[in-house]
Structure formats: structure tokens, C-alpha cells
């Protein structure tokens, strides 16, 4: 006896019938020899790509979620007849179990669970990864990082910028050395020829400095633009790919979070980065001061701790203020976006004062934080400015005594004064630099948290490609709870819709009707159970393939700014004139578009403002029909239409849904003419499943 039948059932549960029998022949011999305890069973299951979790056995509490479960009789050795797979809860209070022969039956839960002591294994599908990704090194992971990856690609440019910074700082020695030679050599000796040579040399250096600074700025901006494009695309792609269940922020807060990229972009392309590069070269200037003026180097060295101390002292405070300021900024932006999106409702409900109060509170809080931030930054900047003045005076004072001792000439004082200013100038900007670094780090952390949210297309995961789906739908023991909700919306829902079948879903508000449509579209994933399309788990199908085959109209009517043509063609990005006119005619869109001067090229405002609700729904229906999807999922598609427009849509769907699976969520009797079967959802469970005639006659649920 082997455990192949159990593995086949598990693969069918997760991957569908097409892949259920794909237990690798090379592993068949291993499976045949299994039977020496729990560890051997676990090893065989893991070899087939499953994850196994051992659960404690509680005789008084049989599990009712978390299927499938593998149960083995405690203490058995070679008798695999004592091994069962629990697929879920069948009719009544019974387990649906499978034995080693592949036979299924239902048994009373309490009796079966207590009749012997079991060891319990919970089996889930392990994520499929590309072996090349598993073997990636830290360096390759860094290269593929959303932020550091684009920077690493431009490392050659940044290396050139660093070389340019070195040359610019070396050229900066020209002014001080020129002044020293003129004061100490040219003036006392009236050496005109020497002055001429110095002027020519200084001119060449200054011209070279100008060219290099210009090129440095160009290279830095070019690298920033390239990184800006790649990082911006990665961020927007992540926003589009985030699983709906993990979208915890409001639209306004998310939009504000995306603005944090501006802080990163400014850091990458502004002179702040140049200042960061220039700081290490302060050591070069200090060494030159020491070689020229000797003891005078102690003056700027003594000022450096004062400047660094003041800059570093305020940073913990600045970090806290920056973080709080960021949160308040998101809140303020959220209020603004929500008000703009619902402006008509805000005015109609007389809620202007309420929204104004929220805005005033957010602005006042951010203003107070901004004031505190500027005060601390100003304090550190003033300390740095004081240190610069003290350094200039101190260098001249020390130079006075050194000249009196004959240790150096007047030119050395001038040169060291200029060099000391160059040495501590980048440090004087340290506070401003650290403030920008704090802002950039806060922005990076927020965006990195966004980039870390689960995606619909998980990197490294291989999906089952299904370019064409017939439209057979099965919900098997599906339970779903919305994030942060206390009660499940759907509870152990089971039904099957055959390909080409037309089904209506009815129920009270909040019963879970729309949730079924969203689960089928992969917008949410069930907490327990499985959803199959053509026998394949929806979670295993590439989301693009799934939605390409499903034409959907959701309750939330969404149109983008652009032409009517663009909105109808948004599924594929383009549409032929013939297809545009066809879907426009059968959905009734042409009835109002033909009256517009620009027809299908009429530009719509955000969310289709200017059109009635029924007109927007007609455009959404036309959009769902483009591309000839094999399944139509419609959630209250005529809720905003008058009777005539609704009848047009009914006639359209009657024509278009031939040989297609049709799932209609509705309260309207007119749409019931399209379906041959009705599911009534009540309290998250199916209360009725049958023909609409029995329901209309009062014999249904």
C-alpha cells in the first residue's frame, strides 16, 4: 500500500483535475515504501511540493476549518489503511474523508474524531519558485531591489561623479595657493612674469573646474533621471499589484505616500548629494592647512566637534518630527482627495464645514510640526555659522603670532583662511544635509513597506497559464472574512456552475453576493476552501489569464479621464472600429454617443463626470464585452438605469451570453429572465439553489 491516492487528491484540491495525476514516476518507488511513521509520510508529501504543519490532537475539539487535513492513527507502523485525508465538511455535521484506496465517504465528525487518537497534518501548497531565484546571492538580490537596483545600474555614472568631485576639490586649492604665492613671492619681488604665469595657470584651472562642475551636474542629473524612471515604474506597478486584502490605507493616503518618492528623487538629483560627496574631501584641505600653516590647523579641527555635535544633537528630534510630519501630511492629503472625489455629495449633504474642520486640524498640526522642525534646523545652522566665523578669526589670530615668530609669511595666513573655509563649508551644511537624509530615509522606509506588501503576481512564483477558459466554476467549502471584520461574510459555501450555465445570485444587503464575484475575479482570496475554474485553483491561474476570460461589471462604476473609446478599450488598450461600434450598439452606448459632437472621441472627466449613472454603467458593460470573454460576471449592472435602458442591456446580454457562463448579482426581476438557476445567499450561506420559477412562486427559500 502507498500514499499516492492521498497525494493525487491533495493535488486535485489545489491544482485541479488536469494536474492531479502528475505524481512523478521517479518518486513512485519511494511512495510505495512509505509506511514507517509520521516523518516518512511528511517527507513524501513535501517531495510533491506541499508544506506540512503538524497540529495538536484535542479529542474534545475536532477541527472544522483549515482543510485538507491528513489523519493517521497514532502508533501505526505499516498499515496505511489507517491513513485518511479530510477534504472538508460535507452534508450535515460530517467529514468528507478519503481513504488509501481513493474511496470517499462521509462520516459523523464527533464519532470519527473520537474513535481513536490521531496525529494531524495540515497540508498546504508550497509556493513554486524558480530554482535560479532560490540560488541568488545577496548581490543579485540587491541588484533586483526596487530602489538600490536602479542605483547600482548607474554605479558607473556615480563613480564618474566621485572622480569629478575629487578633481573639483583639488582645483579648489588653486585660489589659496595663488594668493599665498602672490603675497609671499610676487609682491615683495615685483615678479610680473611670475604673476602672468600664475594667472594663465589659474585661468586654465578655473576653466577646467567650470567644465568638470558642469559635467558633474549633468551626469548626476542623468543618473537621477534614469533611476527616477525605473523606481517610479516599480512603485506604480506595486500599487497596481498589491492584493486588495492588504490595502489598509485610504486612496488619499496612498497617493500621498507615493509623493514621498519626490523626497528620494530630490536627494538623488540635487546638490545635497554633491555635498555628501564633498564632505570626505575636508580631510584634504586640513592636510594642506597643516602643511602650509602648521599649528593653524588646530583652529578648524577644534570647530569641527562643535559643528558636528550641534548637527547630530538635533537629529533624534528631527527624526521624530519628520515621521510625525509625514503622517500628518498623509492625513491632510487624504482629506483633500476624499473631498474632491465626493465634492457633489459633500455639498449636497451640507458637509462642507465638517471637511473644512478636518482640513484645518490637519494643516494646523502639520504647521506646528513644520515650525518645530525649522526652529531646530535653524539652531544647528546658527551654531555652524558661528563656528565658521570663529574659525576665520581664529586662523588669522594664530597666523599673527606665527608671522611674528617668522614661522611663515602673510600669504600663508590668506591661504589658510581660504582653505579653512573650504574645509568646514561642507560640515556647515551638515545639518541641512542630515535633515534631508532623515526625510529621505523616512520616505524610503514608507515606500519600502509599500513595496513589501503581498502582490498578485508574486516574484519567483510560477502560475498555471490558461489563455482560454471554458467557464466551469466551483466553490468548494469557501469561507471568507474581510480584513479587520469580526464575522465571516461567506461560511462554507459550496456550489458548481457548469460552463455555459446562466446563474443569478440574490440576497439581502451584506449577505455576501458581491463577495462571490470578487472572489471569483481573484480580487480577494478565501480564508478556507478553494475556488476552481475549469478544475484549476484560481490562486494558481495567472491573474491576467483569469481576468482576460472574465468580463466583469462591478458595483463601483469606474471610468478614467479620457475618451469614451479609451474607456471601452481599456481592457486591451486598443479596439477596432468594428468592435467599438458593435459593443456600442448592443449595449445602448451609441444611443447617447451619437448625439455628442465628437462621438466616441468625447473626452470624459475623472470618474466619467458629466454622464448619468446609467450611461456610465452602459459604458462599463460595453467594456466587459470587448475581447469576447468566455464568462460574464455582472454585479448590479443596471442599478442606475431606467426601464428602457435596462431592457436594452437585457436584450444585449441575452444575445451576448449564448454559449458563455453568466453570473448575475442583482435585485431586479428584469435580469432574472436571463438566468435558468438562482442562488440565494443569506447570512453568508446558500439558502436556496434552484430554478427562478420556484422562487417566484414562493416555494423556494
Amino acid at each position: 500500500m502507498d500514499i499516492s491516492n492521498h497525494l493525487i487528491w491533495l493535488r486535485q484540491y489545489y491544482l485541479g483535475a488536469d494536474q492531479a495525476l502528475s505524481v512523478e514516476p521517479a518518486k513512485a518507488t519511494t511512495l510505495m515504501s512509505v509506511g514507517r511513521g509520521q516523518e516518512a509520510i511528511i517527507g513524501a508529501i513535501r517531495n510533491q511540493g506541499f508544506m506540512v504543519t503538524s497540529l495538536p490532537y484535542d479529542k474534545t475539539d475536532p477541527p472544522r476549518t483549515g482543510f485538507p487535513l491528513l489523519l493517521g492513527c497514532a502508533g501505526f507502523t505499516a498499515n496505511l489503511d489507517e491513513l485518511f485525508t479530510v477534504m472538508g465538511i460535507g452534508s450535515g455535521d460530517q467529514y468528507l474523508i478519503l481513504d488509501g484506496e481513493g474511496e470517499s465517504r462521509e462520516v459523523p465528525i464527533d464519532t470519527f474524531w473520537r474513535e481513536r487518537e490521531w496525529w494531524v497534518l495540515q497540508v498546504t501548497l508550497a509556493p513554486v519558485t524558480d530554482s535560479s531565484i532560490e540560488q541568488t546571492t545577496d548581490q543579485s538580490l540587491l541588484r533586483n531591489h526596487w530602489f538600490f537596483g536602479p542605483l547600482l545600474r548607474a554605479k558607473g555614472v556615480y563613480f564618474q561623479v566621485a572622480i569629478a568631485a575629487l578633481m573639483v576639490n583639488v582645483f579648489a586649492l588653486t585660489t589659496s595657493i595663488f594668493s599665498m604665492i602672490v603675497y609671499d613671492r610676487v609682491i615683495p619681488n615685483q615678479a610680473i612674469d611670475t604673476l602672468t604665469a600664475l594667472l594663465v595657470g589659474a585661468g586654465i584651472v578655473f576653466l577646467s573646474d567650470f567644465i568638470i562642475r558642469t559635467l558633474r551636474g549633468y551626469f548626476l542629473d542623468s543618473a537621477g533621471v534614469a533611476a527616477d524612471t525605473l523606481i517610479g515604474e516599480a512603485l506604480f506597478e506595486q500599487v497596481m499589484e498589491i492584493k486588495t486584502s492588504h490595502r489598509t490605507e485610504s486612496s488619499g493616503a496612498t497617493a500621498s505616500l507615493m509623493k514621498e518618492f519626490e523626497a528620494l528623487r530630490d536627494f538623488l538629483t540635487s546638490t545635497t548629494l554633491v555635498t555628501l560627496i564633498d564632505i570626505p574631501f575636508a580631510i584634504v584641505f586640513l592636510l594642506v592647512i597643516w602643511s602650509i600653516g602648521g599649528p593653524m590647523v588646530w583652529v578648524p579641527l577644534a570647530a569641527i566637534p562643535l559643528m558636528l555635535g550641534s548637527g547630530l544633537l538635533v537629529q533624534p528630534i528631527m527624526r521624530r518630527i519628520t515621521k510625525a510630519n509625514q503622517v500628518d501630511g498623509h492625513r491632510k492629503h487624504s482629506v483633500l482627495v476624499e473631498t474632491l472625489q465626493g465634492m457633489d455629495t459633500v455639498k449636497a449633504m451640507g458637509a462642507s464645514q465638517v471637511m473644512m474642520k478636518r482640513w484645518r486640524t490637519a494643516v494646523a498640526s502639520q504647521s506646528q510640526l513644520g515650525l518645530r522642525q525649522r526652529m531646530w534646523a535653524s539652531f544647528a545652522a546658527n551654531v555652524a555659522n558661528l563656528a565658521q566665523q570663529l574659525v576665520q578669526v581664529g586662523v588669522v589670530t594664530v597666523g599673527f603670532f606665527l608671522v611674528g615668530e617668522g614661522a611663515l609669511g602673510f600669504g600663508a595666513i590668506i591661504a589658510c583662511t581660504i582653505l579653512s573655509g573650504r574645509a568646514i563649508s561642507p560640515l556647515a551644511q551638515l545639518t541641512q544635509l542630515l535633515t534631508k537624509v532623515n526625510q529621505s530615509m523616512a520616505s524610503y522606509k514608507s515606500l519600502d513597506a509599500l513595496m513589501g506588501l503581498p502582490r498578485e503576481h508574486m516574484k519567483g512564483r510560477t502560475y498555471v497559464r490558461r489563455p482560454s477558459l471554458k467557464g466551469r466554476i466551483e466553490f468548494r467549502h469557501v469561507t471568507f472574512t474581510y480584513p479587520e471584520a469580526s464575522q465571516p461574510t461567506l461560511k462554507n459555501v459550496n456550489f458548481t456552475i457548469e460552463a455555459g450555465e446562466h446563474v443569478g445570485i440574490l440576497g439581502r444587503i451584506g449577505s455576501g453576493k458581491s463577495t462571490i464575484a470578487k472572489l471569483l475575479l481573484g480580487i480577494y482570496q478565501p480564508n478556507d476552501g478553494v475556488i476552481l475554474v475549469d478544475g484549476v485553483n484560481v490562486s494558481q491561474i495567472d491573474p491576467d489569464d483569469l481576468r482576460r476570460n472574465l468580463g466583469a461589471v462591478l458595483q463601483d462604476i469606474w471610468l478614467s479621464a479620457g475618451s469614451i473609446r479609451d474607456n471601452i478599450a481599456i481592457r486591451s488598450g486598443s479596439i477596432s472600429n468594428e468592435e467599438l461600434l458593435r459593443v456600442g450598439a448592443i449595449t445602448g452606448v451609441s444611443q447617447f454617443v451619437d448625439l455628442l459632437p465628437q462621438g466616441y472621441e468625447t473626452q470624459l472627466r475623472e470618474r466619467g463626470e458629466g454622464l448619468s449613472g446609467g450611461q456610465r454603467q452602459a459604458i462599463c458593460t460595453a467594456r466587459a464585452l470587448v475581447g469576447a470573454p468566455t464568462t460574464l460576471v455582472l454585479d448590479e449592472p443596471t442599478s442606475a438605469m431606467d426601464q428602457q435602458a435596462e431592457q436594452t442591456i437585457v436584450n444585449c446580454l441575452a444575445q451576448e451570453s449564448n454559449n458563455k457562463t453568466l453570473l448575475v448579482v442583482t435585485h431586479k426581476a428584469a435580469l432574472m429572465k436571463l438566468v435558468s438557476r438562482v442562488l440565494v445567499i443569506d447570512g453568508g450561506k446558500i439558502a436556496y439553489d434552484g430554478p427562478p420559477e420556484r422562487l417566484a412562486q414562493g416555494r423556494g427559500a
Side-chain angles (χ1 to χ4, degrees):
M1 180 70 66
D2 63 35
I3 65 169
S4 295
N5 285 323
H6 294 283
L7 292 171
I8 289 172
W9 280 105
L10 291 171
R11 291 177 71 85
Q12 182 173 4
Y13 184 93
Y14 283 108
L15 302 177
D18 292 348
Q19 299 187 35
L21 300 177
S22 59
V23 176
E24 298 179 26
K27 296 176 181 175
T29 304
T30 304
L31 299 178
M32 292 291 292
S33 64
V34 168
R36 292 297 176 183
Q38 181 179 353
E39 292 303 320
I41 298 288
I42 291 175
I45 296 173
R46 285 176 175 166
N47 282 340
Q48 287 296 314
F50 294 102
M51 292 191 298
V52 184
T53 304
S54 181
L55 302 179
Y57 173 71
D58 184 349
K59 194 170 186 177
T60 63
D61 186 20
R64 298 178 185 276
T65 59
F67 304 111
L69 301 172
L70 202 65
L71 304 183
C73 183
F76 90 96
T77 56
N79 185 10
L80 289 176
D81 290 334
E82 299 296 319
L83 190 65
F84 300 93
T85 300
V86 182
M87 303 300 290
I89 299 177
S91 58
D93 197 28
Q94 299 189 95
Y95 276 150
L96 174 62
I97 66 169
L98 305 166
D99 58 29
E101 298 292 341
E103 299 295 330
S104 64
R105 64 180 186 271
E106 293 186 351
V107 296
I109 291 179
D110 290 334
T111 303
F112 179 76
W113 183 251
R114 293 189 178 94
E115 69 180 9
R116 64 193 76 184
E117 185 177 353
W118 304 99
W119 45 258
V120 186
L121 302 178
Q122 185 179 45
V123 183
T124 55
L125 191 65
V128 181
T129 56
D130 189 332
S131 59
S132 63
I133 294 177
E134 293 176 350
Q135 298 172 3
T136 52
T137 62
D138 292 340
Q139 184 178 1
S140 62
L141 288 175
L142 193 63
R143 191 181 300 114
N144 293 323
H145 192 270
W146 68 272
F147 179 71
F148 296 110
L151 297 184
L152 284 176
R153 295 188 191 112
K155 61 183 178 182
V157 176
Y158 286 111
F159 179 75
Q160 293 175 357
V161 170
I163 296 298
L166 172 63
M167 297 182 68
V168 166
N169 282 279
V170 170
F171 289 161
L173 299 173
T174 302
T175 304
S176 56
I177 294 175
F178 177 86
S179 300
M180 182 179 67
I181 294 175
V182 169
Y183 274 94
D184 290 345
R185 298 286 186 266
V186 175
I187 294 178
N189 300 307
Q190 292 295 305
I192 304 299
D193 293 339
T194 302
L195 178 62
T196 302
L198 288 173
L199 288 172
V200 172
I204 294 173
V205 170
F206 292 155
L207 180 60
S208 301
D209 179 76
F210 171 78
I211 294 173
I212 291 176
R213 284 179 182 272
T214 303
L215 291 175
R216 180 179 68 173
Y218 171 76
F219 287 139
L220 191 60
D221 288 341
S222 297
V225 168
D228 180 20
T229 302
L230 294 173
I231 295 172
E233 288 180 359
L235 288 171
F236 191 79
E237 179 186 351
Q238 175 68 8
V239 170
M240 298 291 292
E241 284 281 335
I242 295 173
K243 290 185 176 181
T244 306
S245 57
H246 289 79
R247 294 182 187 273
T248 57
E249 300 284 354
S250 66
S251 298
T254 303
S256 180
L257 180 59
M258 290 292 287
K259 287 184 62 180
E260 297 298 332
F261 177 48
E262 302 292 333
L264 286 178
R265 181 168 59 184
D266 288 344
F267 184 80
L268 293 175
T269 58
S270 70
T271 55
T272 305
L273 194 57
V274 176
T275 304
L276 185 64
I277 295 174
D278 285 345
I279 286 179
F281 292 105
I283 300 174
V284 175
F285 293 109
L286 292 174
L287 290 174
V288 176
I289 293 173
W290 176 73
S291 65
I292 295 174
M296 282 196 287
V297 74
W298 292 108
V299 178
L301 282 176
I304 288 176
L306 176 63
M307 301 172 69
L308 290 177
S310 63
L312 297 175
L313 180 65
V314 302
Q315 291 315 303
I317 302 173
M318 296 289 283
R319 277 195 294 269
R320 290 194 296 269
I321 295 175
T322 298
K323 187 175 181 180
N325 200 19
Q326 188 182 66
V327 173
D328 278 357
H330 293 172
R331 186 181 299 116
K332 182 181 74 173
H333 198 74
S334 178
V335 173
L336 176 61
V337 171
E338 289 174 358
T339 303
L340 292 175
Q341 287 180 339
M343 183 62 74
D344 292 344
T345 303
V346 170
K347 291 181 177 180
M349 299 302 296
S352 300
Q353 292 302 316
V354 174
M355 302 308 292
M356 177 61 75
K357 182 178 179 181
R358 294 181 183 177
W359 173 262
R360 188 184 301 115
T361 301
V363 170
S365 177
Q366 194 174 32
S367 297
Q368 288 295 323
L369 290 171
L371 176 62
R372 291 174 55 195
Q373 189 177 44
R374 288 190 296 273
M375 287 180 62
W376 284 107
S378 177
F379 167 76
N382 291 338
V383 171
N385 184 60
L386 175 62
Q388 282 182 293
Q389 294 173 336
L390 292 175
V391 166
Q392 188 172 8
V393 172
V395 167
V396 173
T397 303
V398 173
F400 166 78
F401 290 104
L402 293 175
V403 170
E405 295 173 359
L408 48 82
F410 290 105
I413 298 178
I414 303 298
C416 290
T417 302
I418 296 173
L419 289 171
S420 63
R422 292 285 305 182
I424 66 172
S425 178
L427 299 175
Q429 301 176 39
L430 181 65
T431 302
Q432 181 182 1
L433 175 63
L434 291 177
T435 299
K436 288 198 173 185
V437 169
N438 278 331
Q439 292 173 343
S440 299
M441 287 300 297
S443 299
Y444 169 78
K445 289 179 181 179
S446 298
L447 292 172
D448 193 52
L450 175 72
M451 294 296 292
L453 293 176
R455 296 163 53 97
E456 290 188 338
H457 288 87
M458 297 299 293
K459 294 182 178 179
R461 180 174 180 179
T462 303
Y463 290 91
V464 178
R465 296 308 307 269
R466 284 292 185 271
S468 178
L469 294 170
K470 296 178 181 178
R472 185 181 187 275
I473 301 167
E474 182 180 0
F475 275 55
R476 187 185 294 171
H477 307 297
V478 171
T479 297
F480 175 74
T481 304
Y482 280 100
E484 301 182 2
S486 58
Q487 297 294 327
T489 303
L490 296 179
K491 307 171 186 175
N492 196 33
V493 171
N494 293 273
F495 64 82
T496 300
I497 300 175
E498 298 299 333
E501 190 175 6
H502 295 180
V503 178
I505 299 181
L506 304 179
R508 297 185 179 92
I509 295 175
S511 61
K513 306 184 304 299
S514 297
T515 302
I516 290 177
K518 292 178 180 179
L519 287 171
L520 177 59
L521 290 164
I523 297 175
Y524 289 99
Q525 289 74 42
N527 302 110
D528 285 304
V530 64
I531 301 170
L532 304 174
V533 176
D534 289 0
V536 182
N537 192 333
V538 167
S539 66
Q540 294 294 316
I541 301 175
D542 189 301
D544 292 338
D545 287 346
L546 176 67
R547 292 159 191 170
R548 189 183 303 114
N549 285 274
L550 300 180
V553 178
L554 300 181
Q555 273 187 328
D556 184 17
I557 304 171
W558 177 84
L559 297 177
S560 68
S563 68
I564 295 177
R565 172 193 282 269
D566 292 339
N567 275 277
I568 293 177
I570 201 167
R571 279 165 61 91
S572 59
S574 63
I575 186 173
S576 66
N577 291 329
E578 292 76 12
E579 179 71 357
L580 177 67
L581 295 175
R582 186 186 73 84
V583 298
I586 62 178
T587 57
V589 173
S590 61
Q591 294 180 9
F592 62 86
V593 168
D594 290 344
L595 302 177
L596 300 174
Q598 295 180 321
Y600 284 99
E601 300 305 321
T602 300
Q603 296 294 312
L604 302 179
R605 290 181 291 173
E606 184 181 9
R607 300 182 66 85
E609 290 184 15
L611 298 178
S612 68
Q615 290 172 333
R616 293 200 296 269
Q617 281 188 323
I619 293 175
C620 289
T621 305
R623 180 170 62 195
L625 299 178
V626 173
T630 57
T631 301
L632 297 176
V633 182
L634 312 177
D635 189 356
E636 300 289 1
T638 62
S639 59
M641 294 183 179
D642 57 35
Q643 189 173 0
Q644 181 179 359
E646 183 180 55
Q647 189 58 48
T648 300
I649 292 295
V650 171
N651 295 336
C652 157
L653 294 175
Q655 173 185 342
E656 286 292 311
S657 60
N658 286 333
N659 301 320
K660 294 181 180 179
T661 304
L662 177 65
L663 191 65
V664 184
V665 178
T666 185
H667 287 98
K668 294 200 170 185
L671 290 173
M672 287 294 98
K673 300 175 183 178
L674 298 170
V675 304
S676 58
R677 176 184 169 195
V678 172
L679 299 176
V680 177
I681 309 298
D682 186 28
K685 298 181 179 180
I686 295 181
Y688 173 76
D689 184 352
E693 294 80 13
R694 289 190 61 213
L695 191 66
Q697 295 169 4
R699 296 200 299 270

